[in-house]
Amino acid sequence: LFDFKIILGKNGVPVAENFRLEQSTIADTIQAGQVRVRTLYLSVDPYMRCRMNDDTGSDYLLPWQLSEVADGGGVGVVEESKHDNLAKGDFVTSFNWPWQTMAILDGSLLQKLAPQLVNGRLSYFLGAAGITGLTAFLGIKEKGHVAVGANQTMVVSGAAGACGSLAGQIGRLEGCSRVVGIAGTDEKCSILVQEMGFDAAINYKKGHVAEQLSELCPGGVDVYFDNVGGDISDTVISQMNQNSHIILCGQISQYNKDVPYPPPLPPDIEKIRKERNITRERFLVLNYMDKQEASILQLCQWIQEGKLKVR
């Protein structure tokens, strides 16, 4: 059994020395209601930076504890079960899966998975058919105000990331007529256009982003799926149309700084937002869990049909 332990911090970029790897043993026997699982996949996500602070800035996120095992989204296989609804060989997932190679878990806290929904690609339950996909899908459905035939242009920042790459594709599937991504390398931009179906992509590390955005979105921006915040978002917001919408998904450029979430916009950008009546409401996928099952099934259908490309 290997597990990860973490050392907390508040400002600055996480480094390998914030973690340590330990080898230990787990109990030989399990109790009634428990299962022994072997870990297959762990999801390492941007929000975890917030869990490295005593104050995560979110009431729904608990901080990782000093020298305790880190946890997050995970998928594993049951190797022994004393839970009525789980059997050896079942695939299961949890949002609070410990970063361990083996674990004994409460079976009632696990969700049983159906591999056929994702063509056997179990890792998709942590991505396109998991919280990541839900975030992209529900963000667009609940905050994007996307309508078929409305000739809307969507811009996605952090577009080559797990969530952004899905958001652009879902924006198209939901009715956007033009989708432009912003990413950090030429290779990522090429993948977005050639594989993910984006109309265009901007490498923000090359050239003048504002000029490229203006050229690629001549009618302005109607929907902005914001994963990054900071200067990139300020640039996009300055080119958004009247009564347009920001889907405030993440602010990854700000996570290593001691700032409130969501971070306030600079005064000149906030002025533009107000004058143009641009919505910018915090989006939490956990607020829409009543729509989780139907949304996951839609994502799985798109994956099976090849309409949603996943890397």
Side-chain angles (χ1 to χ4, degrees), residues 115-128:
Q116 67 271 19
L117 288 176
V118 288
N119 301 327
R121 304 292 292 272
L122 286 167
S123 65
Y124 285 14
F125 286 117
L126 298 179

Side-chain angles (χ1 to χ4, degrees), residues 118-160:
V118 288
N119 301 327
R121 304 292 292 272
L122 286 167
S123 65
Y124 285 14
F125 286 117
L126 298 179
I131 287 288
T132 312
L134 278 175
T135 301
F137 181 71
L138 289 171
I140 289 166
K141 293 285 276 189
E142 301 297 330
K143 298 293 186 183
H145 301 271
V146 173
V148 176
N151 196 31
Q152 292 162 300
T153 294
M154 172 186 278
V155 171
V156 183
S157 58

Side-chain angles (χ1 to χ4, degrees), residues 21-59:
L21 179 65
E22 294 183 349
Q23 188 168 5
S24 54
T25 57
I26 58 175
D28 292 330
T29 58
I30 61 175
Q31 306 299 314
Q34 292 184 327
V35 293
R36 185 195 310 276
V37 294
R38 177 166 50 87
T39 301
L40 298 176
Y41 299 99
L42 296 171
S43 188
V44 185
D45 303 286
Y47 79 87
M48 291 174 166
R49 176 61 185 89
C50 306
R51 298 191 68 189
M52 295 178 75
N53 301 335
D54 285 325
D55 178 7
T56 64
S58 302
D59 51 9

Side-chain angles (χ1 to χ4, degrees), residues 272-288:
I272 290 172
R273 189 196 69 77
K274 286 182 176 177
E275 288 175 349
R276 298 182 191 170
N277 192 35
I278 301 169
T279 63
R280 183 182 185 254
E281 300 165 346
R282 185 174 185 176
F283 169 73
L284 288 177
V285 72
L286 298 176
N287 290 344
Y288 301 95

